[in-house]
Amino acid sequence: MPAPSHCDLLIRGARVVSVHTGEQTAADVAVTGDLIRALLRPGTPIVAGQVIDADGLLVVPGYVDAHMHIESSLLAPREFARITLPRGTTTVLADPHEIVNVAGREAMAWMIEQGRGAQQSMHWAVPSCVPALEGFETAGAALSADDIADMLDWEGVTTLGEVMDYRAVVDGSRRMREIVAAARAKGVRLDGHCPNLSGDDLGEYLWAGIDSDHTKNSPEVAVEKARLGMLLMLQEKCLTPELVSRLAALPVQPDFCLVTDDLAADAIVERGHLDHIARVAVGAGMDPLTALRALTLHPARRLGLDDRGVVAPGRRADLVLLRDLADFTPVMVVCGGEPVAETAPAHLSGNPFADSVHLDPLDADGCAWTVDLPDGEHVFRALRVNPVDTFTEPAEVVLPVRDGVVHWEGRTAVLAVFERHHRSGRRTMAPVVGFELSEGAVATTYAHDSHNLTVTATTAAALREAANRVIASHGGICVIAAGDQPVHLPLPVAGVLSDRPAEEVSHGAAAIREALHRWGWAHRNAFMSISTMTLPVSPQVKLTDLGLVRVVDRAWEPAVLT
């Protein structure tokens, strides 16, 4: 057949990159509607409604994020799309387990509705673990297997979100068995979360039907998972030179995806989204074509989106124009056949979750660490943080107790968790070690996954001030450090999202991050470090509103050792 005589959009003078063969071919790309109509010999006559002069630029498929959480950006869905689409991310699979842990089914329905007006393609996963670890924390909602079965039929929903309670799966708990069975009966994908799970336990997890993992593993365990056909989804913290070289050295390099998982607004604005993850991968030694396939073809296949991930006739016209394949920074993005233009902030359509922090302001007694122990010196279990990842190792701190009160100021920092969903009045405390902190505190209601008010502090006065500022703003993050003005980012949407434009949230998030570093929280991703100390499925020991959790054993950790 002759070449088409007309099209809506023509990208002229490009070099098209094949994610199948790795070749670069000179071609003009004709687009009709939201589909690629043809790849034409350069200069082929054709009438086009709009012409883009690519002048030797590379054309690659739009980037596809197969595992991420919009809430981690602290933005509402359309604001998230507004800043990530120009970065080349044309499709996402979003698992809204943060906001659903606060407000349940209604929160997921709201997220889907908020995302409908976005140019970016948004697909959705139903959170599998609400709460993340049943019986070990208090969330604002709970999803049963029946809830999940119903939600998997909602428009735009394609996946069971990451099954974080991997010990329950391995041990055959009834709740997780029913949830997994409900998803398998619907024929959807089941995403995993199982850091360093190995051997027979990994076999049981795979037997359940869960076939991906995005968590940080040792290179040996990552290869073991890949060997068994588990799809590795590599986020930034996973992309070490050791892992990249181990995968490249295999007789056949396995398919894997590059994913963002959790990126805050300031990180996206300053460094990028999937384009940033790809640059990290290349910097760790990954071949650029391998990284491109992990951004496009592999995640599209994972999500069952056979209409994208490749630049070819009949495929969706989600395209990224690049100067340099190793850089991944878009010169231009086309999504659904439409060039992506800079747009004004998206208006948030209401906030039905504005009253989600059910706490009264704290007084001095509300900040005291009280225990049922005799006077004397006692050994308390502590959490040891590190500057690299979210693992928290068990440690010990000796503290005096007088009249049922632990005297911790001047001796250690503490982590305090205040249940904020049901007005129980419950709070727990434990020492935190690992960083040299000055006088101050950080309080947040963005605290994976139950999002109870979580405060890390070195003085009781700073603990109280930071907590009360967050309570007054109906959620948010506040850093109080000696010698600095308080830095406060309100998050009034369920205590986990902002209702403000992305640029404003980015500025606020950057200010929080800088304040944390000045305080002494010397972590390369301070947001994640602070917000995951309450996540009872993230090794090794975590603190929830109910107590200390020994994560790998799925058991309680004694708060006092003597």
Side-chain angles (χ1 to χ4, degrees):
M1 292 183 63
S5 60
H6 63 277
C7 65
D8 297 323
L9 175 69
L10 182 68
I11 303 174
R12 190 186 299 281
R15 297 188 64 80
V16 173
V17 180
S18 170
V19 292
H20 287 292
T21 66
E23 298 169 291
Q24 297 181 16
T25 306
D28 294 346
V29 183
V31 174
T32 298
D34 63 355
L35 300 178
I36 300 169
R37 176 64 180 84
L39 301 183
L40 305 171
R41 289 188 301 275
T44 299
I46 185 172
V47 177
Q50 181 179 0
V51 177
I52 296 172
D53 186 359
D55 191 24
L57 294 175
L58 302 176
V59 177
V60 302
Y63 307 153
V64 180
D65 198 340
H67 179 83
M68 54 80 63
H69 311 283
I70 289 175
E71 302 99 307
S72 296
S73 71
L74 311 177
L75 300 170
R78 271 176 284 181
E79 274 297 275
F80 167 84
R82 187 173 69 85
I83 65 168
T84 57
L85 187 52
R87 293 288 193 164
T89 303
T90 54
T91 301
V92 299
L93 176 75
D95 176 356
H97 69 206
E98 312 298 354
I99 195 168
V100 173
N101 263 281
V102 176
R105 295 166 57 110
E106 294 77 11
M108 180 157 181
W110 182 83
M111 290 288 284
I112 294 172
E113 181 61 32
Q114 290 295 314
R116 283 203 173 99
Q119 187 179 2
Q120 185 180 70
S121 295
M122 288 186 176
H123 302 262
W124 299 90
V126 175
S128 63
C129 297
V130 180
L133 191 59
E134 187 181 39
F136 287 81
E137 59 183 333
T138 305
L143 295 185
S144 67
D146 288 342
D147 289 323
I148 289 170
D150 178 52
M151 295 164 73
L152 285 169
D153 288 331
W154 290 3
E155 183 181 356
V157 173
T158 65
T159 302
L160 182 70
E162 57 181 294
V163 182
M164 295 182 289
D165 193 357
Y166 57 96
R167 293 307 324 174
V169 175
V170 171
D171 297 339
S173 82
R174 178 178 176 180
R175 174 176 179 255
M176 287 313 305
R177 187 171 64 244
E178 291 176 348
I179 288 171
V180 167
R184 296 190 72 169
K186 296 289 184 180
V188 300
R189 285 162 291 280
L190 284 72
D191 277 348
H193 169 122
C194 55
N196 280 320
L197 195 66
S198 181
D200 291 343
D201 287 348
L202 176 60
E204 288 300 304
Y205 197 69
L206 288 165
W207 167 253
I210 306 159
D211 61 351
S212 75
D213 183 39
H214 66 278
T215 62
K216 185 177 181 181
N217 299 284
S218 69
E220 293 74 21
V221 172
V223 169
E224 179 186 2
K225 289 176 175 178
R227 183 183 302 128
L228 296 172
M230 186 173 240
L231 181 68
L232 299 178
M233 296 181 172
L234 303 178
Q235 56 174 296
E236 183 171 1
K237 68 182 179 182
C238 303
L239 290 165
T240 63
E242 294 77 17
L243 176 61
V244 170
S245 63
R246 282 294 299 273
L247 294 177
L250 293 170
V252 176
Q253 185 158 227
D255 291 352
F256 56 84
C257 301
L258 296 178
V259 301
T260 60
D261 195 15
D262 299 287
L263 286 182
D266 63 319
I268 296 169
V269 169
E270 293 172 12
R271 298 195 298 270
H273 195 243
L274 277 173
D275 57 319
H276 166 67
I277 304 300
R279 287 190 292 273
V280 171
V282 171
M286 188 177 293
D287 175 77
L289 281 168
T290 300
L292 179 64
R293 287 167 61 89
L295 285 182
T296 57
L297 181 64
H298 297 164
R301 286 176 170 172
R302 169 64 182 178
L303 301 183
L305 298 174
D306 297 329
D307 65 337
R308 67 198 70 189
V310 179
V311 182
R315 302 300 180 99
R316 181 175 163 87
D318 288 349
L319 306 168
V320 176
L321 278 62
L322 302 173
R323 286 193 178 89
D324 183 350
L325 187 56
D327 182 73
F328 296 95
T329 302
V331 176
M332 178 179 287
V333 177
V334 175
C335 185
E338 295 288 336
V340 173
E342 186 175 337
T343 58
H347 176 69
L348 184 66
S349 302
N351 177 11
F353 313 112
D355 184 23
S356 68
V357 181
H358 302 301
L359 286 169
D360 295 324
L362 303 180
D363 57 18
D365 288 341
C367 298
W369 183 359
T370 58
V371 291
D372 185 15
L373 291 171
D375 287 0
E377 303 283 315
H378 296 272
V379 181
F380 290 85
R381 171 61 74 215
L383 289 74
R384 180 176 298 280
V385 294
N386 72 78
V388 177
D389 55 35
T390 57
F391 280 41
T392 45
E393 296 180 337
E396 298 175 4
V397 172
V398 177
L399 296 172
V401 174
R402 301 288 183 270
D403 299 322
V405 177
V406 181
H407 290 250
W408 57 272
E409 290 186 83
R411 297 177 174 88
T412 184
V414 297
L415 174 66
V417 181
F418 299 83
E419 192 279 312
R420 63 107 159 177
H421 302 291
H422 307 294
R423 293 193 178 277
S424 67
R426 186 165 46 250
R427 69 178 186 270
T428 56
M429 289 184 168
V432 174
V433 298
F435 294 140
E436 293 294 327
L437 303 172
S438 61
E439 290 187 9
V442 56
T444 179
T445 51
Y446 185 90
H448 301 271
D449 274 340
S450 290
H451 302 287
N452 287 303
L453 175 63
T454 301
V455 190
T456 305
T458 55
T459 71
L463 187 158
R464 180 181 176 187
E465 182 180 356
N468 284 340
R469 285 178 179 269
V470 169
I471 291 169
S473 65
H474 303 286
I477 310 169
C478 180
V479 181
I480 304 288
D484 284 354
Q485 292 295 315
V487 180
H488 184 198
L489 175 62
L491 299 174
V493 183
V496 297
L497 294 179
S498 174
D499 56 357
R500 305 303 299 162
E503 292 77 9
E504 186 176 327
V505 178
S506 172
H507 178 77
I512 292 286
R513 198 184 301 271
E514 291 165 6
L516 285 169
H517 290 161
R518 288 195 302 272
W519 182 42
W521 200 268
H523 194 280
R524 69 180 184 184
N525 190 344
F527 272 124
M528 284 301 295
S529 177
I530 286 289
S531 66
T532 54
M533 290 195 295
T534 58
L535 181 57
V537 293
S538 175
Q540 297 182 10
V541 61
K542 293 293 191 283
L543 181 69
T544 75
D545 68 298
L546 298 178
L548 284 161
V549 181
R550 197 162 60 241
V551 174
V552 174
D553 297 333
R554 206 170 183 263
W556 293 111
E557 175 73 15
V560 183
L561 305 182
T562 60

